[in-house]
PDB file of all heavy atoms in Angstrom:
ATOM      1  N   ARG A 954    -102.569 -14.819 -13.815  1.00  0.00           N
ATOM      2  CA  ARG A 954    -102.985 -16.176 -13.412  1.00  0.00           C
ATOM      3  C   ARG A 954    -102.127 -17.268 -14.042  1.00  0.00           C
ATOM      4  O   ARG A 954    -102.322 -18.442 -13.762  1.00  0.00           O
ATOM      5  CB  ARG A 954    -104.438 -16.423 -13.838  1.00  0.00           C
ATOM      6  CG  ARG A 954    -105.475 -16.134 -12.776  1.00  0.00           C
ATOM      7  CD  ARG A 954    -105.606 -14.685 -12.459  1.00  0.00           C
ATOM      8  NE  ARG A 954    -106.775 -14.413 -11.638  1.00  0.00           N
ATOM      9  CZ  ARG A 954    -107.117 -13.217 -11.203  1.00  0.00           C
ATOM     10  NH1 ARG A 954    -106.364 -12.160 -11.532  1.00  0.00           N
ATOM     11  NH2 ARG A 954    -108.180 -13.049 -10.445  1.00  0.00           N
ATOM     12  N   ARG A 955    -101.219 -16.894 -14.897  1.00  0.00           N
ATOM     13  CA  ARG A 955    -100.486 -17.898 -15.673  1.00  0.00           C
ATOM     14  C   ARG A 955     -99.701 -18.867 -14.784  1.00  0.00           C
ATOM     15  O   ARG A 955     -99.591 -20.052 -15.097  1.00  0.00           O
ATOM     16  CB  ARG A 955     -99.528 -17.202 -16.638  1.00  0.00           C
ATOM     17  CG  ARG A 955     -98.870 -18.148 -17.632  1.00  0.00           C
ATOM     18  CD  ARG A 955     -98.025 -17.396 -18.620  1.00  0.00           C
ATOM     19  NE  ARG A 955     -96.914 -16.695 -17.971  1.00  0.00           N
ATOM     20  CZ  ARG A 955     -95.957 -16.055 -18.641  1.00  0.00           C
ATOM     21  NH1 ARG A 955     -95.998 -15.992 -19.964  1.00  0.00           N
ATOM     22  NH2 ARG A 955     -94.987 -15.446 -17.992  1.00  0.00           N
ATOM     23  N   GLY A 956     -99.183 -18.391 -13.676  1.00  0.00           N
ATOM     24  CA  GLY A 956     -98.393 -19.254 -12.814  1.00  0.00           C
ATOM     25  C   GLY A 956     -99.210 -20.049 -11.821  1.00  0.00           C
ATOM     26  O   GLY A 956     -98.765 -21.099 -11.347  1.00  0.00           O
ATOM     27  N   SER A 957    -100.416 -19.567 -11.479  1.00  0.00           N
ATOM     28  CA  SER A 957    -101.198 -20.206 -10.416  1.00  0.00           C
ATOM     29  C   SER A 957    -102.388 -21.017 -10.930  1.00  0.00           C
ATOM     30  O   SER A 957    -102.851 -21.929 -10.240  1.00  0.00           O
ATOM     31  CB  SER A 957    -101.715 -19.143  -9.440  1.00  0.00           C
ATOM     32  OG  SER A 957    -102.509 -18.176 -10.127  1.00  0.00           O
ATOM     33  N   SER A 958    -102.888 -20.709 -12.101  1.00  0.00           N
ATOM     34  CA  SER A 958    -104.076 -21.383 -12.628  1.00  0.00           C
ATOM     35  C   SER A 958    -103.689 -22.575 -13.493  1.00  0.00           C
ATOM     36  O   SER A 958    -102.925 -22.433 -14.455  1.00  0.00           O
ATOM     37  CB  SER A 958    -104.914 -20.394 -13.451  1.00  0.00           C
ATOM     38  OG  SER A 958    -105.896 -21.083 -14.195  1.00  0.00           O
ATOM     39  N   GLU A 959    -104.226 -23.743 -13.163  1.00  0.00           N
ATOM     40  CA  GLU A 959    -103.964 -24.931 -13.969  1.00  0.00           C
ATOM     41  C   GLU A 959    -104.622 -24.809 -15.338  1.00  0.00           C
ATOM     42  O   GLU A 959    -104.112 -25.336 -16.329  1.00  0.00           O
ATOM     43  CB  GLU A 959    -104.486 -26.181 -13.243  1.00  0.00           C
ATOM     44  CG  GLU A 959    -103.732 -26.519 -11.971  1.00  0.00           C
ATOM     45  CD  GLU A 959    -102.268 -26.819 -12.241  1.00  0.00           C
ATOM     46  OE1 GLU A 959    -101.960 -27.408 -13.301  1.00  0.00           O
ATOM     47  OE2 GLU A 959    -101.421 -26.470 -11.391  1.00  0.00           O
ATOM     48  N   ILE A 960    -105.753 -24.121 -15.405  1.00  0.00           N
ATOM     49  CA  ILE A 960    -106.465 -23.955 -16.682  1.00  0.00           C
ATOM     50  C   ILE A 960    -105.613 -23.146 -17.652  1.00  0.00           C
ATOM     51  O   ILE A 960    -105.386 -23.548 -18.797  1.00  0.00           O
ATOM     52  CB  ILE A 960    -107.833 -23.278 -16.457  1.00  0.00           C
ATOM     53  CG1 ILE A 960    -108.741 -24.174 -15.614  1.00  0.00           C
ATOM     54  CG2 ILE A 960    -108.498 -22.950 -17.794  1.00  0.00           C
ATOM     55  CD1 ILE A 960    -110.063 -23.528 -15.233  1.00  0.00           C
ATOM     56  N   ILE A 961    -105.135 -21.990 -17.190  1.00  0.00           N
ATOM     57  CA  ILE A 961    -104.329 -21.121 -18.055  1.00  0.00           C
ATOM     58  C   ILE A 961    -102.944 -21.719 -18.285  1.00  0.00           C
ATOM     59  O   ILE A 961    -102.410 -21.642 -19.400  1.00  0.00           O
ATOM     60  CB  ILE A 961    -104.228 -19.710 -17.441  1.00  0.00           C
ATOM     61  CG1 ILE A 961    -105.612 -19.043 -17.487  1.00  0.00           C
ATOM     62  CG2 ILE A 961    -103.195 -18.869 -18.162  1.00  0.00           C
ATOM     63  CD1 ILE A 961    -105.647 -17.642 -16.930  1.00  0.00           C
ATOM     64  N   LYS A 962    -102.375 -22.310 -17.247  1.00  0.00           N
ATOM     65  CA  LYS A 962    -101.040 -22.895 -17.387  1.00  0.00           C
ATOM     66  C   LYS A 962    -101.037 -23.984 -18.459  1.00  0.00           C
ATOM     67  O   LYS A 962    -100.082 -24.092 -19.239  1.00  0.00           O
ATOM     68  CB  LYS A 962    -100.592 -23.475 -16.052  1.00  0.00           C
ATOM     69  CG  LYS A 962     -99.138 -23.925 -16.031  1.00  0.00           C
ATOM     70  CD  LYS A 962     -98.789 -24.602 -14.708  1.00  0.00           C
ATOM     71  CE  LYS A 962     -98.967 -23.648 -13.544  1.00  0.00           C
ATOM     72  NZ  LYS A 962     -98.588 -24.284 -12.243  1.00  0.00           N
ATOM     73  N   GLY A 963    -102.098 -24.795 -18.504  1.00  0.00           N
ATOM     74  CA  GLY A 963    -102.153 -25.868 -19.483  1.00  0.00           C
ATOM     75  C   GLY A 963    -102.305 -25.369 -20.906  1.00  0.00           C
ATOM     76  O   GLY A 963    -101.854 -26.027 -21.854  1.00  0.00           O
ATOM     77  N   ALA A 964    -102.940 -24.201 -21.075  1.00  0.00           N
ATOM     78  CA  ALA A 964    -103.183 -23.675 -22.423  1.00  0.00           C
ATOM     79  C   ALA A 964    -102.157 -22.652 -22.863  1.00  0.00           C
ATOM     80  O   ALA A 964    -102.102 -22.307 -24.048  1.00  0.00           O
ATOM     81  CB  ALA A 964    -104.581 -23.039 -22.483  1.00  0.00           C
ATOM     82  N   ASN A 965    -101.326 -22.170 -21.932  1.00  0.00           N
ATOM     83  CA  ASN A 965    -100.469 -21.023 -22.223  1.00  0.00           C
ATOM     84  C   ASN A 965     -99.466 -21.290 -23.335  1.00  0.00           C
ATOM     85  O   ASN A 965     -99.236 -20.430 -24.201  1.00  0.00           O
ATOM     86  CB  ASN A 965     -99.725 -20.592 -20.956  1.00  0.00           C
ATOM     87  CG  ASN A 965     -98.974 -19.298 -21.149  1.00  0.00           C
ATOM     88  OD1 ASN A 965     -99.566 -18.231 -21.266  1.00  0.00           O
ATOM     89  ND2 ASN A 965     -97.659 -19.386 -21.209  1.00  0.00           N
ATOM     90  N   GLU A 966     -98.848 -22.482 -23.335  1.00  0.00           N
ATOM     91  CA  GLU A 966     -97.841 -22.778 -24.353  1.00  0.00           C
ATOM     92  C   GLU A 966     -98.454 -22.759 -25.750  1.00  0.00           C
ATOM     93  O   GLU A 966     -97.862 -22.220 -26.694  1.00  0.00           O
ATOM     94  CB  GLU A 966     -97.190 -24.131 -24.082  1.00  0.00           C
ATOM     95  CG  GLU A 966     -96.060 -24.454 -25.057  1.00  0.00           C
ATOM     96  CD  GLU A 966     -95.347 -25.749 -24.718  1.00  0.00           C
ATOM     97  OE1 GLU A 966     -95.648 -26.339 -23.654  1.00  0.00           O
ATOM     98  OE2 GLU A 966     -94.483 -26.180 -25.518  1.00  0.00           O
ATOM     99  N   ARG A 967     -99.643 -23.348 -25.870  1.00  0.00           N
ATOM    100  CA  ARG A 967    -100.314 -23.359 -27.171  1.00  0.00           C
ATOM    101  C   ARG A 967    -100.742 -21.948 -27.579  1.00  0.00           C
ATOM    102  O   ARG A 967    -100.649 -21.573 -28.757  1.00  0.00           O
ATOM    103  CB  ARG A 967    -101.528 -24.285 -27.128  1.00  0.00           C
ATOM    104  CG  ARG A 967    -102.292 -24.390 -28.436  1.00  0.00           C
ATOM    105  CD  ARG A 967    -101.379 -24.788 -29.564  1.00  0.00           C
ATOM    106  NE  ARG A 967    -102.087 -24.895 -30.837  1.00  0.00           N
ATOM    107  CZ  ARG A 967    -101.494 -24.872 -32.013  1.00  0.00           C
ATOM    108  NH1 ARG A 967    -100.176 -24.735 -32.097  1.00  0.00           N
ATOM    109  NH2 ARG A 967    -102.195 -24.981 -33.117  1.00  0.00           N
ATOM    110  N   ILE A 968    -101.192 -21.155 -26.634  1.00  0.00           N
ATOM    111  CA  ILE A 968    -101.590 -19.778 -26.921  1.00  0.00           C
ATOM    112  C   ILE A 968    -100.388 -18.961 -27.378  1.00  0.00           C
ATOM    113  O   ILE A 968    -100.477 -18.177 -28.337  1.00  0.00           O
ATOM    114  CB  ILE A 968    -102.243 -19.128 -25.687  1.00  0.00           C
ATOM    115  CG1 ILE A 968    -103.580 -19.805 -25.360  1.00  0.00           C
ATOM    116  CG2 ILE A 968    -102.445 -17.633 -25.911  1.00  0.00           C
ATOM    117  CD1 ILE A 968    -104.629 -19.670 -26.442  1.00  0.00           C
ATOM    118  N   ASP A 969     -99.249 -19.131 -26.705  1.00  0.00           N
ATOM    119  CA  ASP A 969     -98.030 -18.424 -27.118  1.00  0.00           C
ATOM    120  C   ASP A 969     -97.634 -18.812 -28.537  1.00  0.00           C
ATOM    121  O   ASP A 969     -97.228 -17.960 -29.340  1.00  0.00           O
ATOM    122  CB  ASP A 969     -96.887 -18.737 -26.155  1.00  0.00           C
ATOM    123  CG  ASP A 969     -96.940 -17.901 -24.891  1.00  0.00           C
ATOM    124  OD1 ASP A 969     -97.743 -16.949 -24.854  1.00  0.00           O
ATOM    125  OD2 ASP A 969     -96.207 -18.201 -23.936  1.00  0.00           O
ATOM    126  N   SER A 970     -97.724 -20.107 -28.837  1.00  0.00           N
ATOM    127  CA  SER A 970     -97.380 -20.583 -30.179  1.00  0.00           C
ATOM    128  C   SER A 970     -98.317 -19.986 -31.223  1.00  0.00           C
ATOM    129  O   SER A 970     -97.874 -19.532 -32.286  1.00  0.00           O
ATOM    130  CB  SER A 970     -97.455 -22.116 -30.215  1.00  0.00           C
ATOM    131  OG  SER A 970     -97.215 -22.608 -31.517  1.00  0.00           O
ATOM    132  N   LEU A 971     -99.617 -19.962 -30.920  1.00  0.00           N
ATOM    133  CA  LEU A 971    -100.584 -19.374 -31.845  1.00  0.00           C
ATOM    134  C   LEU A 971    -100.354 -17.872 -31.998  1.00  0.00           C
ATOM    135  O   LEU A 971    -100.502 -17.323 -33.097  1.00  0.00           O
ATOM    136  CB  LEU A 971    -102.015 -19.620 -31.356  1.00  0.00           C
ATOM    137  CG  LEU A 971    -102.636 -20.977 -31.686  1.00  0.00           C
ATOM    138  CD1 LEU A 971    -104.005 -21.102 -31.033  1.00  0.00           C
ATOM    139  CD2 LEU A 971    -102.756 -21.163 -33.197  1.00  0.00           C
ATOM    140  N   GLY A 972     -99.991 -17.209 -30.892  1.00  0.00           N
ATOM    141  CA  GLY A 972     -99.715 -15.778 -30.966  1.00  0.00           C
ATOM    142  C   GLY A 972     -98.554 -15.476 -31.890  1.00  0.00           C
ATOM    143  O   GLY A 972     -98.614 -14.543 -32.703  1.00  0.00           O
ATOM    144  N   ASN A 973     -97.493 -16.264 -31.789  1.00  0.00           N
ATOM    145  CA  ASN A 973     -96.357 -16.081 -32.691  1.00  0.00           C
ATOM    146  C   ASN A 973     -96.753 -16.351 -34.135  1.00  0.00           C
ATOM    147  O   ASN A 973     -96.296 -15.669 -35.057  1.00  0.00           O
ATOM    148  CB  ASN A 973     -95.206 -17.001 -32.280  1.00  0.00           C
ATOM    149  CG  ASN A 973     -94.516 -16.546 -31.013  1.00  0.00           C
ATOM    150  OD1 ASN A 973     -94.355 -15.355 -30.779  1.00  0.00           O
ATOM    151  ND2 ASN A 973     -94.121 -17.487 -30.175  1.00  0.00           N
ATOM    152  N   THR A 974     -97.615 -17.354 -34.328  1.00  0.00           N
ATOM    153  CA  THR A 974     -98.090 -17.659 -35.682  1.00  0.00           C
ATOM    154  C   THR A 974     -98.916 -16.518 -36.244  1.00  0.00           C
ATOM    155  O   THR A 974     -98.751 -16.125 -37.404  1.00  0.00           O
ATOM    156  CB  THR A 974     -98.930 -18.956 -35.677  1.00  0.00           C
ATOM    157  OG1 THR A 974     -98.142 -20.036 -35.178  1.00  0.00           O
ATOM    158  CG2 THR A 974     -99.403 -19.293 -37.079  1.00  0.00           C
ATOM    159  N   VAL A 975     -99.804 -15.964 -35.421  1.00  0.00           N
ATOM    160  CA  VAL A 975    -100.653 -14.849 -35.860  1.00  0.00           C
ATOM    161  C   VAL A 975     -99.799 -13.664 -36.290  1.00  0.00           C
ATOM    162  O   VAL A 975     -99.975 -13.116 -37.392  1.00  0.00           O
ATOM    163  CB  VAL A 975    -101.610 -14.425 -34.726  1.00  0.00           C
ATOM    164  CG1 VAL A 975    -102.258 -13.075 -35.038  1.00  0.00           C
ATOM    165  CG2 VAL A 975    -102.694 -15.473 -34.537  1.00  0.00           C
ATOM    166  N   HIS A 976     -98.866 -13.265 -35.439  1.00  0.00           N
ATOM    167  CA  HIS A 976     -98.064 -12.085 -35.752  1.00  0.00           C
ATOM    168  C   HIS A 976     -97.066 -12.368 -36.874  1.00  0.00           C
ATOM    169  O   HIS A 976     -96.734 -11.464 -37.655  1.00  0.00           O
ATOM    170  CB  HIS A 976     -97.352 -11.593 -34.497  1.00  0.00           C
ATOM    171  CG  HIS A 976     -98.296 -11.138 -33.430  1.00  0.00           C
ATOM    172  ND1 HIS A 976     -99.303 -10.215 -33.665  1.00  0.00           N
ATOM    173  CD2 HIS A 976     -98.417 -11.481 -32.113  1.00  0.00           C
ATOM    174  CE1 HIS A 976     -99.990 -10.015 -32.561  1.00  0.00           C
ATOM    175  NE2 HIS A 976     -99.474 -10.766 -31.600  1.00  0.00           N
ATOM    176  N   GLY A 977     -96.601 -13.604 -36.970  1.00  0.00           N
ATOM    177  CA  GLY A 977     -95.733 -13.961 -38.089  1.00  0.00           C
ATOM    178  C   GLY A 977     -96.470 -13.892 -39.415  1.00  0.00           C
ATOM    179  O   GLY A 977     -95.951 -13.354 -40.403  1.00  0.00           O
ATOM    180  N   LEU A 978     -97.702 -14.411 -39.436  1.00  0.00           N
ATOM    181  CA  LEU A 978     -98.501 -14.348 -40.665  1.00  0.00           C
ATOM    182  C   LEU A 978     -98.877 -12.906 -41.000  1.00  0.00           C
ATOM    183  O   LEU A 978     -98.922 -12.517 -42.169  1.00  0.00           O
ATOM    184  CB  LEU A 978     -99.763 -15.196 -40.513  1.00  0.00           C
ATOM    185  CG  LEU A 978     -99.562 -16.714 -40.504  1.00  0.00           C
ATOM    186  CD1 LEU A 978    -100.888 -17.424 -40.235  1.00  0.00           C
ATOM    187  CD2 LEU A 978     -98.981 -17.190 -41.831  1.00  0.00           C
ATOM    188  N   GLY A 979     -99.160 -12.107 -39.968  1.00  0.00           N
ATOM    189  CA  GLY A 979     -99.464 -10.701 -40.211  1.00  0.00           C
ATOM    190  C   GLY A 979     -98.282  -9.959 -40.798  1.00  0.00           C
ATOM    191  O   GLY A 979     -98.439  -9.147 -41.721  1.00  0.00           O
ATOM    192  N   THR A 980     -97.093 -10.237 -40.280  1.00  0.00           N
ATOM    193  CA  THR A 980     -95.879  -9.622 -40.823  1.00  0.00           C
ATOM    194  C   THR A 980     -95.645 -10.073 -42.256  1.00  0.00           C
ATOM    195  O   THR A 980     -95.242  -9.274 -43.118  1.00  0.00           O
ATOM    196  CB  THR A 980     -94.672  -9.983 -39.949  1.00  0.00           C
ATOM    197  OG1 THR A 980     -94.933  -9.580 -38.596  1.00  0.00           O
ATOM    198  CG2 THR A 980     -93.416  -9.283 -40.438  1.00  0.00           C
ATOM    199  N   ALA A 981     -95.892 -11.358 -42.539  1.00  0.00           N
ATOM    200  CA  ALA A 981     -95.752 -11.865 -43.909  1.00  0.00           C
ATOM    201  C   ALA A 981     -96.748 -11.190 -44.847  1.00  0.00           C
ATOM    202  O   ALA A 981     -96.441 -10.945 -46.020  1.00  0.00           O
ATOM    203  CB  ALA A 981     -95.944 -13.380 -43.927  1.00  0.00           C
TER     204      ALA A 981
END
């Protein structure tokens, strides 16, 4: 739904950023 849903599209960038933060902190 990432390309077609306005709800997910609007939140996707922030979710990706949080995902990188989560896995970065886990690796640390």
Side-chain angles (χ1 to χ4, degrees):
R954 266 69 169 179
R955 189 176 63 174
S957 58
S958 168
E959 293 298 325
I960 296 175
I961 292 181
K962 189 185 299 182
N965 188 70
E966 184 176 354
R967 181 54 180 161
I968 293 297
D969 279 350
S970 176
L971 278 175
N973 287 323
T974 301
V975 167
H976 297 308
L978 289 175
T980 304

